[in-house]
Amino acid sequence: MEEINKENIIKQPVKEVVKLLSTDLNKGLAEVEAQNRLRKYGENVIEEKKENPLINLAKKFWNPGAWVLEAAAILSYVLGKYLDFYIIIALIVFNAILSFSEEQRANKALEMLKSRLQVTARVLRDGNWRNIPSRYLVPGDVVRIRLGDFVPADIKIVEGQLEVDQSALTGESLTVMKNKEDIVYSGSIVKKGEATGVVILTGKNTYFGKTAELVSIAKPRLRVQQVISKVVFWMMVIVLIILAISGIVIFLRHENFLTFLPLALVLIIGAIPIALPAMFTISLALGSEELSKSGVLVTRLDAIEGASTMNTLASDKTGTLTINKLSVHKIIPLEGDEKEVITYGALASREENQDPIDLAFISKAKEMNIDLKEWKVIDFKPFDPSSRRTESTVEKGGSTIRVSKGAIDTLSKLCGLKNIEEIYEKVHSEAKIGCRVLAVAKNDGEKWKLVGLVSLRDPPREDSAELVKELKDLGIKVIMLTGDAQPIAQEIAKEVGIGSNVVKVSEFKENPKMIDQIDGLAEVYPEDKYTVVKLLQQEGKVVGMTGDGVNDAPALRQADVGIAVSNATDVAKAAASVVLTSPGLRNIVDMIKIGRRIYERINIWILSRITRTFQNVVFIALALLILNKFAISTFGMVLLLFMFDFVTLTMSTDNVPWSRKPASWEILSLVKVSIILGVVMVAESFLVLYFLGQMPLKELQTSVFLYLLYSNIFNLLNIREKRNFWNSFPSKVMGLAIIADVIIAFIIASLGIPGLVPITPLVAGEILGFAALFNLILNNFVKLGAEKMLKVKW
């Protein structure tokens, strides 16, 4: 067989396709030939690129925070401070392994999702029909597809007729008829009929595959890494400014420049937020565990952070805001009442056929408490494209009638009606909003009579309007995306409370800045959704995207928060960063609230870290320059870093409220507040240094270690609450960690350990008192004043 020309084979009639693919419609491919083609064209799957776990682990050692700490480790080694060197290396390794293990645990959940769907195909090979995994299909295979099947490849119909749901591919809410010579696309679902066809395209060459390739191009923004980089940047700005000033002073004093290196080492160690990546990871991992209990599976940890900052939600319509199931929208009686119209329409239906239109009539009959069992169906004629109607012969109480439902034109002619325009006028408003309108007729032995008209549509989910309202209350703009025409989109958007200003996607692509004035986009193709998400991001929006189909996958992948609903296709679930495991969209609100709570925890951690850095770095540098003393040893600084980070990691469990507005990483504002608090804390540190008097240097370094640790801990208790610090209490885990840290530090300082000489318990107690007084009382009012007088948000 020659190489397949994709465009050519799609356009060719069945006879030519069979010839091009060198296949036999009666026997199918020989198994040997099928195996040759499998080797040539590859398996009928969309391969995903998976990152090697070892490479992912290596990346934990290759980021701005790790670089600086690694430099500090090298400097420790050069200066001969081997204990400090080993402790710093241990911190780097611990943080990397912790972040890596949490991410791997979350990724396993996604792999479990992908393994749920195992599609098989009925294929003719060597003259025998057999079931094989669809991944082994090749171009030229003769296959049989029927009701309920998931179409496994792009197939040209040889014989038979199908009604398929391809909403997962195109976003169309209504089913589509496929006849001989038509192509049934991979990813469609057969709703009615049976057909034999020949496979023309597999894997990435299918319509399904083109969308999957778009998914591989989409790259979500790594916002968490950006935040970490910004924090490290400001830490290093503070350190470099202090080092520059210190270096100039040492140079002007003509002092030994080698004294500058130990100072640089202490300041670098004191500044690096080594626990920040771990704090992010643990907080997000705990958040994902909490969300899983309420039906939300997080497959990419940073999606929770995205949920906290999300200010725009682009929602697919079909299957997301709507139920993706036809139902009766309006009944228009002509000869008879509404009950008669639905009764006759339901009798002209068969539930076992699982036809969407038949099910809509039967469901409405049940809703209206119509007992269809009173009638006996003698004969049923299914839908025929040539007649465009269904028909039943039914009997009740000895009377036999014929009933039919179908196209308005067909039944109007059957009833002998000449002025069809009048009938169409009655359903003009229904057609305008995208409803499919059918006619219902009966024949009681004399002639056919048009009983009435019924409009069908895909209605909104029951919880959609409530969800939209809640999202708006949380400060999130909801935009509906749909492949439907503008009138249909406007009606649904208005009904669920999004708004009525729906424009065509082409208008938005020409002018993306109109985003704040519109409520939805109509006539959206799969590739448009991906483009729309990127345009929204370029306009500065943090974008969430909900969807369920293959057509949504690229946009789900590109979005800051891609949310696949519970009935989504596997491709949509794999592309998304969040998968809803229970029906409906209500859990999105829970995700946003939990995300914002996590944001508050991390925001407080960052504020605490910058404040601590300013206090420690400026105080230590000034103490050296003014008093010519190293107020704390390198080992003391490393131990301080380790012990305080032990407390800050427990902040991932802290009791903090969530904001009513989308979060925003205002790192500069945090720096401003930190500097205000930091200046006061430096002055307080010198007061404590004055109180300690002419203490021997080694004891002084232990005392300063203890004060800085206590000061950092109590400062954290102060800034975790935006009001007075006593308005709320930390979580039990955080509270116990603080108590443990305070006690352990007191014991270490009192008894001493290698690298820290002991001080008296009395001095340790006085240091504890000073730290509590300054940070919990005085600095509480400094914090409130900074927010009120300087209008600094944090």
Short mmCIF file of all heavy atoms in Angstrom, two decimals, residues 172-174 315-330 356-357 359-361 363-364 367 430 433-436 455-465 480 482 484 488-489 491-497 548 567 584-585:
data_model
loop_
_atom_site.label_atom_id
_atom_site.label_comp_id
_atom_site.label_asym_id
_atom_site.label_seq_id
_atom_site.Cartn_x
_atom_site.Cartn_y
_atom_site.Cartn_z
N GLU A 172 -21.20 20.82 19.09
CA GLU A 172 -22.60 20.81 18.67
C GLU A 172 -23.44 20.09 19.70
O GLU A 172 -23.10 19.01 20.14
CB GLU A 172 -22.76 20.09 17.33
CG GLU A 172 -21.99 20.71 16.18
CD GLU A 172 -22.00 19.80 14.96
OE1 GLU A 172 -21.15 18.89 14.90
OE2 GLU A 172 -22.85 19.99 14.08
N SER A 173 -24.58 20.69 20.08
CA SER A 173 -25.42 20.06 21.11
C SER A 173 -26.36 19.02 20.52
O SER A 173 -26.90 18.19 21.25
CB SER A 173 -26.22 21.13 21.86
OG SER A 173 -26.97 21.92 20.96
N LEU A 174 -26.60 19.02 19.20
CA LEU A 174 -27.52 18.09 18.56
C LEU A 174 -26.75 16.98 17.84
O LEU A 174 -25.61 17.17 17.42
CB LEU A 174 -28.42 18.82 17.57
CG LEU A 174 -29.29 19.95 18.16
CD1 LEU A 174 -30.08 20.62 17.06
CD2 LEU A 174 -30.22 19.41 19.24
N SER A 315 -16.26 29.35 30.31
CA SER A 315 -16.97 28.08 30.45
C SER A 315 -17.55 27.60 29.14
O SER A 315 -18.22 28.35 28.44
CB SER A 315 -18.10 28.22 31.49
OG SER A 315 -18.84 27.03 31.57
N ASP A 316 -17.28 26.34 28.81
CA ASP A 316 -17.93 25.72 27.67
C ASP A 316 -19.43 25.61 27.98
O ASP A 316 -19.82 25.49 29.14
CB ASP A 316 -17.32 24.32 27.45
CG ASP A 316 -17.99 23.59 26.30
OD1 ASP A 316 -18.09 24.18 25.22
OD2 ASP A 316 -18.39 22.44 26.49
N LYS A 317 -20.26 25.64 26.95
CA LYS A 317 -21.71 25.55 27.16
C LYS A 317 -22.18 24.10 27.21
O LYS A 317 -22.67 23.63 28.22
CB LYS A 317 -22.47 26.30 26.06
CG LYS A 317 -24.01 26.21 26.22
CD LYS A 317 -24.73 26.85 25.06
CE LYS A 317 -24.77 25.96 23.83
NZ LYS A 317 -25.62 24.76 23.99
N THR A 318 -22.03 23.39 26.09
CA THR A 318 -22.60 22.05 25.95
C THR A 318 -21.94 21.06 26.90
O THR A 318 -20.73 20.85 26.86
CB THR A 318 -22.46 21.56 24.51
OG1 THR A 318 -23.03 22.51 23.62
CG2 THR A 318 -23.15 20.22 24.33
N GLY A 319 -22.74 20.48 27.79
CA GLY A 319 -22.23 19.49 28.72
C GLY A 319 -21.61 20.09 29.96
O GLY A 319 -21.23 19.36 30.87
N THR A 320 -21.50 21.40 30.01
CA THR A 320 -20.91 22.06 31.17
C THR A 320 -21.95 22.96 31.84
O THR A 320 -22.35 22.71 32.98
CB THR A 320 -19.68 22.88 30.77
OG1 THR A 320 -18.76 22.02 30.08
CG2 THR A 320 -18.99 23.48 31.98
N LEU A 321 -22.39 23.99 31.13
CA LEU A 321 -23.49 24.81 31.64
C LEU A 321 -24.84 24.14 31.33
O LEU A 321 -25.83 24.36 32.02
CB LEU A 321 -23.45 26.21 31.02
CG LEU A 321 -22.29 27.09 31.46
CD1 LEU A 321 -22.25 28.38 30.65
CD2 LEU A 321 -22.37 27.41 32.95
N THR A 322 -24.86 23.33 30.26
CA THR A 322 -26.07 22.58 29.91
C THR A 322 -25.83 21.10 30.17
O THR A 322 -24.69 20.67 30.39
CB THR A 322 -26.44 22.79 28.43
OG1 THR A 322 -25.41 22.24 27.60
CG2 THR A 322 -26.61 24.27 28.11
N ILE A 323 -26.90 20.29 30.11
CA ILE A 323 -26.77 18.88 30.49
C ILE A 323 -26.39 17.98 29.32
O ILE A 323 -26.18 16.80 29.49
CB ILE A 323 -28.07 18.36 31.13
CG1 ILE A 323 -29.24 18.42 30.13
CG2 ILE A 323 -28.40 19.14 32.39
CD1 ILE A 323 -30.53 17.83 30.65
N ASN A 324 -26.30 18.56 28.10
CA ASN A 324 -25.96 17.78 26.89
C ASN A 324 -26.95 16.64 26.68
O ASN A 324 -26.58 15.50 26.38
CB ASN A 324 -24.54 17.24 26.96
CG ASN A 324 -24.03 16.82 25.59
OD1 ASN A 324 -24.58 17.21 24.56
ND2 ASN A 324 -22.99 16.00 25.57
N LYS A 325 -28.21 16.98 26.86
CA LYS A 325 -29.28 15.99 26.69
C LYS A 325 -30.53 16.73 26.25
O LYS A 325 -30.94 17.71 26.88
CB LYS A 325 -29.52 15.26 28.02
CG LYS A 325 -30.66 14.26 27.97
CD LYS A 325 -30.84 13.64 29.36
CE LYS A 325 -32.03 12.71 29.40
NZ LYS A 325 -32.27 12.16 30.76
N LEU A 326 -31.15 16.27 25.15
CA LEU A 326 -32.35 16.94 24.65
C LEU A 326 -33.51 16.78 25.62
O LEU A 326 -33.71 15.70 26.20
CB LEU A 326 -32.74 16.37 23.29
CG LEU A 326 -31.88 16.79 22.09
CD1 LEU A 326 -32.39 16.12 20.82
CD2 LEU A 326 -31.87 18.30 21.92
N SER A 327 -34.28 17.85 25.78
CA SER A 327 -35.51 17.78 26.57
C SER A 327 -36.55 18.71 25.94
O SER A 327 -36.22 19.59 25.14
CB SER A 327 -35.24 18.19 28.02
OG SER A 327 -34.89 19.56 28.09
N VAL A 328 -37.78 18.48 26.32
CA VAL A 328 -38.88 19.29 25.76
C VAL A 328 -38.82 20.70 26.34
O VAL A 328 -38.79 20.87 27.56
CB VAL A 328 -40.24 18.65 26.06
CG1 VAL A 328 -41.38 19.57 25.63
CG2 VAL A 328 -40.35 17.30 25.36
N HIS A 329 -38.80 21.69 25.46
CA HIS A 329 -38.74 23.07 25.89
C HIS A 329 -40.13 23.72 25.90
O HIS A 329 -40.51 24.40 26.84
CB HIS A 329 -37.80 23.88 24.98
CG HIS A 329 -37.67 25.32 25.37
ND1 HIS A 329 -38.07 26.35 24.55
CD2 HIS A 329 -37.19 25.89 26.50
CE1 HIS A 329 -37.83 27.50 25.15
NE2 HIS A 329 -37.29 27.26 26.34
N LYS A 330 -40.90 23.46 24.84
CA LYS A 330 -42.23 24.08 24.73
C LYS A 330 -43.16 23.17 23.93
O LYS A 330 -42.76 22.53 22.97
CB LYS A 330 -42.13 25.44 24.05
CG LYS A 330 -43.41 26.26 24.09
CD LYS A 330 -43.17 27.67 23.53
CE LYS A 330 -44.42 28.52 23.63
NZ LYS A 330 -44.19 29.89 23.07
N PRO A 356 -32.00 10.17 21.30
CA PRO A 356 -32.15 11.36 22.15
C PRO A 356 -33.53 12.01 22.05
O PRO A 356 -34.07 12.48 23.05
CB PRO A 356 -31.05 12.30 21.64
CG PRO A 356 -30.03 11.40 21.04
CD PRO A 356 -30.80 10.27 20.45
N ILE A 357 -34.09 12.04 20.82
CA ILE A 357 -35.41 12.66 20.64
C ILE A 357 -36.50 11.79 21.26
O ILE A 357 -37.39 12.28 21.97
CB ILE A 357 -35.69 12.91 19.14
CG1 ILE A 357 -34.70 13.94 18.60
CG2 ILE A 357 -37.13 13.36 18.92
CD1 ILE A 357 -34.81 14.18 17.11
N LEU A 359 -36.15 9.70 23.71
CA LEU A 359 -36.01 9.78 25.17
C LEU A 359 -36.57 11.09 25.72
O LEU A 359 -37.12 11.11 26.83
CB LEU A 359 -34.54 9.64 25.55
CG LEU A 359 -33.90 8.26 25.31
CD1 LEU A 359 -32.42 8.30 25.64
CD2 LEU A 359 -34.60 7.18 26.12
N ALA A 360 -36.45 12.19 24.96
CA ALA A 360 -36.98 13.48 25.39
C ALA A 360 -38.50 13.42 25.53
O ALA A 360 -39.08 13.91 26.51
CB ALA A 360 -36.56 14.58 24.42
N PHE A 361 -39.19 12.80 24.55
CA PHE A 361 -40.65 12.68 24.60
C PHE A 361 -41.08 11.77 25.75
O PHE A 361 -42.02 12.08 26.50
CB PHE A 361 -41.18 12.14 23.27
CG PHE A 361 -41.42 13.21 22.24
CD1 PHE A 361 -40.42 13.58 21.36
CD2 PHE A 361 -42.65 13.84 22.16
CE1 PHE A 361 -40.64 14.57 20.40
CE2 PHE A 361 -42.88 14.83 21.20
CZ PHE A 361 -41.88 15.20 20.32
N SER A 363 -39.43 11.00 28.48
CA SER A 363 -39.12 11.65 29.75
C SER A 363 -40.18 12.69 30.11
O SER A 363 -40.61 12.79 31.26
CB SER A 363 -37.74 12.30 29.68
OG SER A 363 -37.44 12.99 30.86
N LYS A 364 -40.63 13.46 29.12
CA LYS A 364 -41.66 14.47 29.36
C LYS A 364 -42.99 13.82 29.73
O LYS A 364 -43.72 14.32 30.59
CB LYS A 364 -41.83 15.35 28.11
CG LYS A 364 -42.74 16.55 28.32
CD LYS A 364 -42.16 17.52 29.34
CE LYS A 364 -43.03 18.75 29.51
NZ LYS A 364 -42.48 19.69 30.52
N GLU A 367 -42.78 12.91 33.27
CA GLU A 367 -42.86 14.13 34.08
C GLU A 367 -44.31 14.59 34.23
O GLU A 367 -44.70 15.12 35.27
CB GLU A 367 -42.01 15.22 33.41
CG GLU A 367 -41.91 16.51 34.18
CD GLU A 367 -41.16 17.57 33.39
OE1 GLU A 367 -40.10 17.24 32.80
OE2 GLU A 367 -41.63 18.72 33.35
N GLU A 430 -39.09 29.85 18.77
CA GLU A 430 -38.35 28.67 19.23
C GLU A 430 -37.15 28.39 18.34
O GLU A 430 -36.06 28.09 18.82
CB GLU A 430 -39.28 27.45 19.25
CG GLU A 430 -40.42 27.55 20.24
CD GLU A 430 -39.92 27.65 21.67
OE1 GLU A 430 -39.36 26.65 22.17
OE2 GLU A 430 -40.06 28.73 22.29
N ILE A 433 -34.08 30.68 18.90
CA ILE A 433 -33.16 30.42 20.02
C ILE A 433 -32.51 29.04 19.90
O ILE A 433 -31.95 28.53 20.87
CB ILE A 433 -33.88 30.57 21.38
CG1 ILE A 433 -35.02 29.55 21.50
CG2 ILE A 433 -34.37 31.98 21.59
CD1 ILE A 433 -35.63 29.48 22.89
N GLY A 434 -32.63 28.42 18.71
CA GLY A 434 -31.88 27.20 18.44
C GLY A 434 -32.57 25.90 18.81
O GLY A 434 -31.94 24.86 18.85
N CYS A 435 -33.88 25.96 19.08
CA CYS A 435 -34.59 24.72 19.40
C CYS A 435 -34.86 23.92 18.13
O CYS A 435 -35.08 24.48 17.06
CB CYS A 435 -35.92 25.03 20.09
SG CYS A 435 -35.75 25.66 21.77
N ARG A 436 -34.87 22.61 18.25
CA ARG A 436 -35.29 21.74 17.16
C ARG A 436 -36.80 21.50 17.34
O ARG A 436 -37.21 20.99 18.40
CB ARG A 436 -34.54 20.41 17.20
CG ARG A 436 -35.01 19.42 16.15
CD ARG A 436 -34.27 18.09 16.26
NE ARG A 436 -32.93 18.17 15.73
CZ ARG A 436 -32.13 17.11 15.55
NH1 ARG A 436 -32.56 15.89 15.86
NH2 ARG A 436 -30.91 17.26 15.07
N SER A 455 -41.01 21.74 20.76
CA SER A 455 -39.62 22.20 20.58
C SER A 455 -38.72 21.50 21.58
O SER A 455 -39.10 21.29 22.74
CB SER A 455 -39.53 23.72 20.74
OG SER A 455 -39.79 24.11 22.06
N LEU A 456 -37.54 21.14 21.13
CA LEU A 456 -36.56 20.43 21.96
C LEU A 456 -35.28 21.25 22.03
O LEU A 456 -34.90 21.91 21.07
CB LEU A 456 -36.25 19.06 21.36
CG LEU A 456 -37.42 18.12 21.10
CD1 LEU A 456 -36.95 16.92 20.30
CD2 LEU A 456 -38.05 17.67 22.41
N ARG A 457 -34.60 21.14 23.17
CA ARG A 457 -33.31 21.82 23.30
C ARG A 457 -32.50 21.16 24.40
O ARG A 457 -33.00 20.32 25.16
CB ARG A 457 -33.51 23.29 23.61
CG ARG A 457 -34.10 23.54 24.99
CD ARG A 457 -33.83 24.94 25.44
NE ARG A 457 -34.27 25.12 26.82
CZ ARG A 457 -33.91 26.14 27.57
NH1 ARG A 457 -33.12 27.08 27.08
NH2 ARG A 457 -34.32 26.26 28.81
N ASP A 458 -31.24 21.56 24.47
CA ASP A 458 -30.33 21.10 25.51
C ASP A 458 -30.40 22.13 26.64
O ASP A 458 -29.83 23.22 26.52
CB ASP A 458 -28.91 21.01 24.94
CG ASP A 458 -27.88 20.62 25.98
OD1 ASP A 458 -28.27 20.08 27.03
OD2 ASP A 458 -26.68 20.85 25.73
N PRO A 459 -31.11 21.85 27.74
CA PRO A 459 -31.34 22.86 28.78
C PRO A 459 -30.15 23.05 29.71
O PRO A 459 -29.27 22.18 29.80
CB PRO A 459 -32.53 22.28 29.55
CG PRO A 459 -32.33 20.80 29.43
CD PRO A 459 -31.74 20.56 28.07
N PRO A 460 -30.14 24.18 30.44
CA PRO A 460 -29.07 24.41 31.42
C PRO A 460 -29.16 23.41 32.57
O PRO A 460 -30.24 22.89 32.88
CB PRO A 460 -29.34 25.83 31.92
CG PRO A 460 -30.24 26.45 30.91
CD PRO A 460 -31.04 25.33 30.34
N ARG A 461 -28.03 23.13 33.20
CA ARG A 461 -28.05 22.32 34.42
C ARG A 461 -28.80 23.09 35.51
O ARG A 461 -28.83 24.32 35.51
CB ARG A 461 -26.61 22.06 34.90
CG ARG A 461 -25.82 21.13 34.02
CD ARG A 461 -24.42 20.95 34.60
NE ARG A 461 -23.61 20.10 33.78
CZ ARG A 461 -23.55 18.77 33.90
NH1 ARG A 461 -24.26 18.17 34.84
NH2 ARG A 461 -22.79 18.06 33.11
N GLU A 462 -29.33 22.35 36.45
CA GLU A 462 -30.10 22.97 37.53
C GLU A 462 -29.24 23.90 38.38
O GLU A 462 -29.72 24.89 38.92
CB GLU A 462 -30.72 21.89 38.42
CG GLU A 462 -31.83 21.10 37.73
CD GLU A 462 -32.45 20.07 38.65
OE1 GLU A 462 -32.02 19.99 39.83
OE2 GLU A 462 -33.36 19.34 38.20
N ASP A 463 -27.96 23.56 38.52
CA ASP A 463 -27.10 24.34 39.40
C ASP A 463 -26.31 25.44 38.69
O ASP A 463 -25.55 26.16 39.33
CB ASP A 463 -26.12 23.43 40.14
CG ASP A 463 -25.20 22.68 39.18
OD1 ASP A 463 -25.45 22.71 37.96
OD2 ASP A 463 -24.22 22.07 39.65
N SER A 464 -26.49 25.58 37.36
CA SER A 464 -25.67 26.53 36.60
C SER A 464 -25.92 27.97 37.03
O SER A 464 -24.97 28.74 37.23
CB SER A 464 -25.93 26.38 35.10
OG SER A 464 -25.40 25.17 34.62
N ALA A 465 -27.19 28.36 37.18
CA ALA A 465 -27.50 29.74 37.55
C ALA A 465 -26.95 30.08 38.93
O ALA A 465 -26.38 31.16 39.16
CB ALA A 465 -29.01 29.97 37.50
N MET A 480 -19.13 32.65 28.60
CA MET A 480 -19.56 31.39 28.00
C MET A 480 -18.98 31.25 26.59
O MET A 480 -19.02 32.19 25.81
CB MET A 480 -21.09 31.33 27.92
CG MET A 480 -21.62 29.99 27.45
SD MET A 480 -23.42 29.99 27.35
CE MET A 480 -23.65 30.93 25.83
N THR A 482 -19.18 28.82 23.13
CA THR A 482 -19.99 27.77 22.51
C THR A 482 -19.85 27.80 20.99
O THR A 482 -19.60 28.85 20.39
CB THR A 482 -21.48 27.93 22.88
OG1 THR A 482 -22.25 26.94 22.20
CG2 THR A 482 -22.00 29.30 22.49
N ASP A 484 -22.35 27.06 19.17
CA ASP A 484 -23.69 27.37 18.67
C ASP A 484 -23.75 28.77 18.08
O ASP A 484 -22.88 29.62 18.32
CB ASP A 484 -24.72 27.25 19.80
CG ASP A 484 -24.97 25.80 20.18
OD1 ASP A 484 -24.84 24.93 19.30
OD2 ASP A 484 -25.30 25.54 21.35
N ILE A 488 -28.80 31.28 19.98
CA ILE A 488 -28.87 30.18 20.96
C ILE A 488 -28.00 30.52 22.16
O ILE A 488 -28.40 30.36 23.31
CB ILE A 488 -28.37 28.86 20.32
CG1 ILE A 488 -29.15 28.56 19.04
CG2 ILE A 488 -28.49 27.72 21.30
CD1 ILE A 488 -28.62 27.37 18.26
N ALA A 489 -26.80 31.00 21.89
CA ALA A 489 -25.86 31.34 22.95
C ALA A 489 -26.42 32.44 23.84
O ALA A 489 -26.29 32.38 25.08
CB ALA A 489 -24.52 31.76 22.34
N GLU A 491 -29.53 33.17 24.49
CA GLU A 491 -30.63 32.66 25.31
C GLU A 491 -30.10 31.91 26.52
O GLU A 491 -30.55 32.13 27.65
CB GLU A 491 -31.51 31.74 24.45
CG GLU A 491 -32.69 31.14 25.19
CD GLU A 491 -33.74 32.17 25.56
OE1 GLU A 491 -33.75 33.28 24.97
OE2 GLU A 491 -34.55 31.86 26.46
N ILE A 492 -29.14 31.00 26.32
CA ILE A 492 -28.59 30.22 27.43
C ILE A 492 -27.84 31.13 28.40
O ILE A 492 -27.99 31.01 29.62
CB ILE A 492 -27.66 29.10 26.91
CG1 ILE A 492 -28.46 28.07 26.11
CG2 ILE A 492 -26.93 28.43 28.06
CD1 ILE A 492 -29.45 27.26 26.93
N ALA A 493 -27.02 32.04 27.88
CA ALA A 493 -26.24 32.94 28.74
C ALA A 493 -27.15 33.79 29.62
O ALA A 493 -26.87 34.01 30.80
CB ALA A 493 -25.35 33.84 27.87
N LYS A 494 -28.25 34.25 29.04
CA LYS A 494 -29.21 35.05 29.78
C LYS A 494 -29.90 34.20 30.86
O LYS A 494 -30.10 34.63 31.99
CB LYS A 494 -30.27 35.62 28.82
CG LYS A 494 -31.17 36.70 29.45
CD LYS A 494 -32.35 37.02 28.55
CE LYS A 494 -31.90 37.41 27.14
NZ LYS A 494 -33.05 37.70 26.26
N GLU A 495 -30.23 32.97 30.49
CA GLU A 495 -30.97 32.08 31.39
C GLU A 495 -30.17 31.69 32.62
O GLU A 495 -30.71 31.56 33.72
CB GLU A 495 -31.40 30.83 30.62
CG GLU A 495 -32.50 30.05 31.29
CD GLU A 495 -33.10 28.98 30.38
OE1 GLU A 495 -32.99 29.11 29.14
OE2 GLU A 495 -33.67 28.03 30.92
N VAL A 496 -28.86 31.49 32.47
CA VAL A 496 -28.04 31.08 33.61
C VAL A 496 -27.46 32.27 34.37
O VAL A 496 -26.72 32.08 35.34
CB VAL A 496 -26.90 30.13 33.18
CG1 VAL A 496 -27.46 28.87 32.56
CG2 VAL A 496 -25.92 30.82 32.24
N GLY A 497 -27.79 33.48 33.93
CA GLY A 497 -27.37 34.66 34.66
C GLY A 497 -26.03 35.23 34.28
O GLY A 497 -25.51 36.12 34.96
N ASP A 548 -15.76 19.68 28.75
CA ASP A 548 -15.95 18.24 28.88
C ASP A 548 -15.49 17.45 27.67
O ASP A 548 -15.37 16.23 27.73
CB ASP A 548 -17.42 17.92 29.15
CG ASP A 548 -18.29 18.24 27.94
OD1 ASP A 548 -17.92 19.13 27.15
OD2 ASP A 548 -19.35 17.59 27.78
N ASN A 567 -18.29 14.20 33.57
CA ASN A 567 -18.58 13.35 32.40
C ASN A 567 -17.68 13.67 31.22
O ASN A 567 -17.99 13.34 30.08
CB ASN A 567 -20.05 13.51 32.00
CG ASN A 567 -20.39 14.93 31.59
OD1 ASN A 567 -19.67 15.86 31.94
ND2 ASN A 567 -21.46 15.10 30.85
N GLY A 584 -22.11 18.01 38.22
CA GLY A 584 -22.32 19.43 38.48
C GLY A 584 -21.03 20.22 38.60
O GLY A 584 -19.93 19.67 38.54
N LEU A 585 -21.21 21.53 38.81
CA LEU A 585 -20.07 22.44 38.85
C LEU A 585 -19.91 23.11 40.22
O LEU A 585 -19.05 23.96 40.38
CB LEU A 585 -20.23 23.53 37.78
CG LEU A 585 -20.40 23.04 36.34
CD1 LEU A 585 -20.73 24.22 35.43
CD2 LEU A 585 -19.16 22.34 35.86
#
